[in-house]
Amino acid sequence: DGFLLDGQLAHNLIERFFALPNPLNMPEEKVLAWFDETFHQVIETQGAVLLMHGRRSDYEGLRYRLRRALTRLLVQISAAKVEMVQSELELNGHYRGGEILGFADLVLTNRQGRQAIVDMRWGGTKKYAAKLADNTHLQLGIYAELLRQKSGAWPDVGYYILAEGKLFVQQNNYFPNGNVVNKIIDESTPHLYERFKATHAWRAELLRQGKIEVVLEH
């Protein structure tokens, strides 16, 4: 229940939408009709607690926010001239520690063949905007590196906050309508991955020496 359930339902619904044949060319009225029918199906199969007595306001509130999240996401995708969306795409590759595997929420490809990875989160607007501003979006950075290993080019990255219907990015090169964060340091995703590699090598050497750092509250 709560935020965890809302996030799971949102991911499931958006994944279903992009599994449709040619979803990016659906007119808005068909998108909304599909949403209204599919939302109730998803609730019945995965969120039935929202159908319990006294939960009508929660049900309607979630329906409103998810409807808005989907339509605003499609506006962002259209503005970026995206032609293909892959949902829950498996990304695998390697790093110094071995093989690594992950599943990206959304991988987008635009008319020019450039790609972007969007990580969907239910809430946490300030938290995820700060990650991009501080260049500490490590999970997204690793996904970007895994995609780079396959494509040869670094993708753009961003966080889409479902409850707010807002897309946060480090710059608007890919998403002209995205909310650009003011970066605190002059770095981008490739710099973040290089710092990750250096930190991993340092930690691995400490472990090889039998040293484990203990971080205390004070």
Side-chain angles (χ1 to χ4, degrees), residues 21-210:
N22 210 15
L24 298 183
N25 291 325
M26 287 176 64
E28 184 177 3
E29 61 271 17
K30 288 192 175 181
V31 171
L32 296 179
W34 174 89
F35 174 86
D36 290 338
E37 178 182 354
T38 308
F39 175 78
H40 192 73
Q41 293 174 358
V42 171
I43 295 298
E44 284 185 323
T45 56
Q46 299 183 38
V49 292
L50 296 176
L51 300 176
M52 293 173 64
H53 182 70
R55 300 297 301 274
R56 187 67 185 182
S57 62
D58 295 333
Y59 175 95
E60 291 296 339
L62 179 62
R63 188 174 75 87
Y64 168 78
R65 288 192 294 273
L66 284 190
R67 206 170 193 255
R68 180 182 64 181
L70 178 59
T71 55
R72 287 186 177 180
L73 178 60
L74 290 174
V75 169
Q76 293 281 359
I77 287 173
S78 176
K81 296 180 171 54
V82 169
E83 294 189 336
M84 182 172 67
V85 178
Q86 296 165 283
S87 178
E88 287 297 314
L89 181 65
E90 179 178 319
L91 298 173
N92 55 72
H94 59 273
Y95 73 118
R96 185 172 177 177
E99 299 301 308
I100 190 166
L101 168 72
F103 293 86
D105 287 342
L106 298 175
V107 175
L108 317 178
T109 306
N110 68 11
R111 289 180 186 173
Q112 290 75 39
R114 290 177 52 210
Q115 293 184 298
I117 300 176
V118 174
D119 194 21
M120 296 187 296
R121 301 286 174 167
W122 177 248
T125 300
K126 291 182 179 179
K127 174 183 175 181
Y128 292 105
K131 282 181 178 288
L132 292 174
D134 296 336
N135 209 48
T136 57
H137 50 292
L138 184 57
Q139 181 180 352
L140 259 179
I142 291 175
Y143 286 168
E145 163 62 10
L146 295 177
L147 191 57
R148 185 203 65 80
Q149 290 179 16
K150 296 185 181 302
S151 68
W154 283 96
D156 283 67
V157 297
Y159 287 109
Y160 188 64
I161 309 302
L162 293 155
E164 301 293 331
K166 292 181 179 180
L167 176 66
F168 290 94
V169 293
Q170 287 188 320
Q171 67 279 321
N172 60 359
N173 296 334
Y174 196 99
F175 297 102
N177 295 341
N179 294 275
V180 179
V181 300
N182 294 318
K183 290 190 292 184
I184 296 173
I185 55 178
D186 188 21
E187 286 188 0
S188 57
T189 304
H191 299 102
L192 169 62
Y193 191 76
E194 288 301 313
R195 286 196 283 113
F196 161 71
K197 289 198 300 183
T199 302
H200 178 271
W202 172 61
R203 284 294 190 193
E205 175 58 23
L206 289 179
L207 291 173
R208 190 191 66 79
Q209 298 174 18

